[in-house]
Amino acid sequence: MDVDGEFHRIEKDGKLYFEYHHSRYHPIPQIQSSSNSSKTYQSLFVCPAARCRVALRDSPDRSTFSPIFSSPEYLFSTSRDHDLYHSVLPLFWCNNKDFEIDGGCNVCNGLNYGTDYYLCNYCNGKYHIECVQSPLKIKSPYHLQHPLQLCFYCPSAPIIECLCCGRTISRLLYYCGICRVFMHSICAMRPIPFVIDLPKRHDHPLTFFPRQTSLTCNVCGLLRKLYPTYVCVTCNFVAHKDCMYFPRIIKISRHPHRISYGSSLRSGEWFCGVCRQSIETDYGAYTCHKCFDYYVVHSICALGKDVCDGEELEGVPEEDDITLGVESFDVISEGVILHFLHDHHLYLQVISILYDENKFCQACVLPIFEGNIYSCIECGFILHETCAQFRRKLQHALHPHPLTLKNVNPYEYVRFTCDACDRYCGGFIYGCHLKECDFDLDIRCASISEPVDYQGHEHPLYLALNPEEKPICHVCKIKCEKQLNCIICSFIICMKCTTLPYKVSYMHDKHFLRVLWEEEVCDKSWCEVCEHDLKNTNTNVIYWCDECCITVHVECLFGDEPYLKHGQFVKINGIKLQSLWKSNTSRPSCNYCKNRCQHKMFIRDDIVACSMRCALSNS
C-alpha cells in the first residue's frame, strides 16, 4: 500500500519547517488547485471511534495492535451497520479549555493541540481534525526508515509512550512494527521546525538531523537511536528533541531540596541518587547546591514519572519542608495523646510480648506482637507507637507530590489498593491530593525510605525505577509491582515481601517466628495451622521458629488480605464481599475449595470463602 501522508519542507515567516501534507485533505499550498482550494471540511469523514471498532473486529489479535485499513472518508450507504459506520460534524475554533475539561479528544487519550475539531452526535465524542483525517499510512521525518501504519491499540495492553511527546498512548496511533516506534496521530502530523533556537539550553541554533545514527545526547548522556535529534553545526553539541525542553530547576521525590540542571559535572566519580549507577561528567545532570556531599541525578532519572512532575520551578519561591509542624497528634499529658484520626484520648502502654489475633493496630492492621502501643480505654482503639508518629503529610520516594494521611471510612466499601504492594488496605493510608494521580500507599509501604535495611539481606536496598518488564521477586517468585534492588548483588524483593513483618508471634509458640524462603522452605514439612504439606501447597514464603521447628503459612497467620479489618466490605467487579475474622474456637469450611478457613473469611451472598480468590472463583 502506498504512503498516504508525507512531509514537505516549507517556509513560514522566514523559518523552515517540515509540514505534513495529504494530496486531498491537506495539499501543499504551492500546488493546491482551484478544485480543492476551499476548506477540506466539505468532505464527510467517518467517526474515528467507528474506524477503531472496525479494526478491532477484523483483527486476529485483539489484545494489542489492530491495524486500520478503512478510509477516513464517509460515503453514504444504507446497508452498513450504523454503529460501525457513521460520520462526524466539524467544529471550528473550539475553546481549548472547555475541550480539555470535557476530557479532550476521545480517541487519542486527550491530547490538546490545535483549534479545529469534529463532533460525533452518535458517539457523543469530540475529536481532533488530525485524528479524524488520519490516513492509513504516513511517512514521518522522525522515522524515515519505514512508513508508519495507523492502528488501534487496546487501552488494557501494556503501556507504551509516544516518540514525539513522551506521553502514554492508547487507542488511535501510528506505529512501526519493525522498530517498535509509536506516535499519537496528532503528534505524527505536527509541523517539525528545521531550526530551533533555545538560548537557555545552548548558545547556538540547533538544526534537525533526520538520519538515525549513533549520536550521544549532551543533555541526557544517552544514545537513543530512534529519538528525534537536533545538532549544532557550530560546535559539537547534540540534543534529543524532548531533552531540549527539560526544566532547569525541579523538585524530585527522592531528595528534600530542589535540584538544578547543569551541562557538565565537576571532576570526580559520581553516582546517580535515583538509579545508583555512575554518571559521566561530560554530560548534563541535575545537582543539589545545598548538599555538602554534592547530590547528583541523571537527567532522565530525575524526570521519571514517579520521581518528578516535570514542573519548571525557576523563579518560583521555594517552600519550606511540608512535613514540618504537621504532627498527627497533640500531647495532652505524659503518656496521653489525642490523635487527629480518633475522637478519644490514647494512653501509652509498654508491653513485652502480647499476642491476641483479635487485637490489632488500626493504622497498619497487623496484630500487636511487641513494643509500645497507644490504646483507647473507651472503645478499644489501638495504635503501634511507631504508627501513631506518622506525620499528616509525607513526601515519599515513590510519588512526586505530597501525600496526606487519612483513614479508610469503616462504613464505606474499601476502595483503596496500595500502589506499591497492590494489597487492599482498610487502615491508615497516604493519598495524593491530585485527583488525576489516584495514588495511595498503605502505612507500611509509606514507612519505606532509602536505604532500606532489610533483615533478610546483608546489603542495603534501594527503590528501583519502573522497568518495562516486571522482574521476579527473589522471595515470593512473583512479578514485582514495585521493588527494591541491591546495587551490590542481584537481589530483588517486591514491596509486598519487604513490608511483611520479618518476625512475628504465634499463639501456640512462646518464641518469635521469622521469615524463610527459597531453599530453606524445602526442608520444612507441614504447616502447624492448616496441617498441609508445604510441598503440596507450592509455598515460597513461610514463618519458622528456630527453637521449636514450627512452620506456618503466611496466609494462615495473617489471612488472604492481611490489611483488611473485621467487618469491612469490598466490591470487586460488582461483587460485594465482607471480610470476617474467624473465632478462636471455630474453623468453618470454605464452600468453594472445601478447606478449613484458617484466619480471615470472606462472605459472599451468605456463603463462606477462605480467601478472596475462592470468593471470586465462580464470578
Side-chain angles (χ1 to χ4, degrees), residues 392-561:
R392 295 194 188 193
K393 288 189 178 294
L394 174 73
Q395 181 66 68
H396 197 272
L398 288 176
H399 193 67
H401 306 130
L403 305 177
T404 302
L405 185 65
K406 52 187 177 181
N407 191 12
V408 174
N409 191 331
Y411 304 106
E412 296 180 355
Y413 287 106
V414 176
R415 300 178 291 107
F416 302 100
T417 53
C418 176
D419 284 284
C421 68
D422 200 35
R423 281 187 170 123
Y424 281 95
C425 179
F428 289 4
I429 62 170
Y430 277 98
C432 180
H433 67 284
L434 296 177
K435 185 177 180 180
E436 59 268 24
C437 286
D438 191 26
F439 184 86
D440 300 292
L441 290 179
D442 64 52
I443 203 167
R444 288 191 61 79
C445 291
S447 67
I448 297 295
S449 61
E450 298 177 302
V452 177
D453 184 17
Y454 180 63
Q455 289 180 272
H457 190 67
E458 64 269 31
H459 307 135
L461 305 176
Y462 296 90
L463 289 164
L465 293 173
N466 285 338
E468 292 184 4
E469 294 186 6
K470 302 294 185 182
I472 300 298
C473 172
H474 289 185
V475 176
C476 65
K477 307 302 180 185
I478 298 174
K479 284 187 177 181
C480 304
E481 289 297 322
K482 304 282 186 182
Q483 80 269 11
L484 294 160
N485 293 347
C486 178
I487 62 175
I488 299 175
C489 64
S490 59
F491 183 74
I492 297 173
I493 183 172
C494 66
M495 288 290 285
K496 184 178 291 188
C497 292
T498 304
T499 54
L500 198 66
Y502 185 74
K503 64 176 186 176
V504 298
S505 291
Y506 173 52
M507 60 187 305
H508 298 301
D509 194 331
K510 62 181 180 180
H511 310 110
F512 279 110
L513 281 64
R514 65 181 179 91
V515 171
L516 292 185
W517 68 87
E518 285 190 333
E519 292 82 5
E520 294 178 299
V521 175
C522 301
D523 299 332
K524 319 307 171 192
S525 55
W526 49 276
C527 173
E528 179 78 13
V529 177
C530 68
E531 300 180 354
H532 286 165
D533 194 308
L534 298 182
K535 295 179 181 178
N536 298 332
T537 56
N538 195 25
T539 301
N540 293 316
V541 187
I542 61 169
Y543 280 105
W544 163 260
C545 177
D546 292 316
E547 303 291 333
C548 306
C549 300
I550 285 179
T551 306
V552 180
H553 285 117
V554 175
E555 294 78 11
C556 291
L557 199 60
F558 295 126
D560 183 53
E561 288 289 341

Side-chain angles (χ1 to χ4, degrees), residues 535-606:
K535 295 179 181 178
N536 298 332
T537 56
N538 195 25
T539 301
N540 293 316
V541 187
I542 61 169
Y543 280 105
W544 163 260
C545 177
D546 292 316
E547 303 291 333
C548 306
C549 300
I550 285 179
T551 306
V552 180
H553 285 117
V554 175
E555 294 78 11
C556 291
L557 199 60
F558 295 126
D560 183 53
E561 288 289 341
Y563 303 150
L564 283 180
K565 299 177 184 176
H566 176 77
Q568 286 184 320
F569 290 91
V570 294
K571 185 182 287 186
I572 305 173
N573 298 327
I575 299 173
K576 178 181 174 181
L577 304 176
Q578 185 180 21
S579 171
L580 297 178
W581 293 12
K582 71 173 183 64
S583 67
N584 291 331
T585 57
S586 65
R587 291 196 300 175
S589 297
C590 174
N591 285 78
Y592 298 95
C593 70
K594 307 306 179 183
N595 292 322
R596 294 285 182 182
C597 299
Q598 304 302 336
H599 197 274
K600 287 188 177 73
M601 301 177 292
F602 290 90
I603 307 299
R604 173 185 173 183
D605 300 328
D606 296 326

Side-chain angles (χ1 to χ4, degrees), residues 98-159:
D98 293 341
F99 187 77
E100 187 169 344
I101 290 173
D102 293 338
C105 178
N106 293 95
V107 80
C108 75
N109 209 27
L111 288 173
N112 184 22
Y113 301 128
T115 53
D116 293 345
Y117 303 91
Y118 278 86
L119 170 69
C120 179
N121 284 328
Y122 186 84
C123 298
N124 196 29
K126 299 183 295 295
Y127 308 102
H128 296 113
I129 179 177
E130 292 86 354
C131 295
V132 171
Q133 298 180 1
S134 297
L136 304 185
K137 289 193 177 184
I138 193 171
K139 191 171 184 180
S140 171
Y142 285 152
H143 190 67
L144 293 176
Q145 295 96 317
H146 314 104
L148 303 174
Q149 169 70 48
L150 184 68
C151 78
F152 172 78
Y153 186 72
C154 182
S156 61
I159 294 175

Side-chain angles (χ1 to χ4, degrees), residues 182-214:
F182 315 104
M183 296 185 197
H184 291 109
S185 56
I186 191 168
C187 291
M189 298 184 201
R190 294 186 73 190
I192 300 172
F194 192 71
V195 177
I196 294 179
D197 192 5
L198 297 172
K200 285 189 176 181
R201 180 62 64 202
H202 190 64
D203 296 334
H204 313 124
L206 301 174
T207 304
F208 179 60
F209 194 75
R211 182 177 179 180
Q212 307 299 322
T213 186
S214 301

Side-chain angles (χ1 to χ4, degrees), residues 48 80 237 256 276 282 479 565 602 614:
R80 298 200 188 192
F237 183 85
R276 311 293 165 177
D282 294 335
K479 284 187 177 181
K565 299 177 184 176
F602 290 90
C614 280

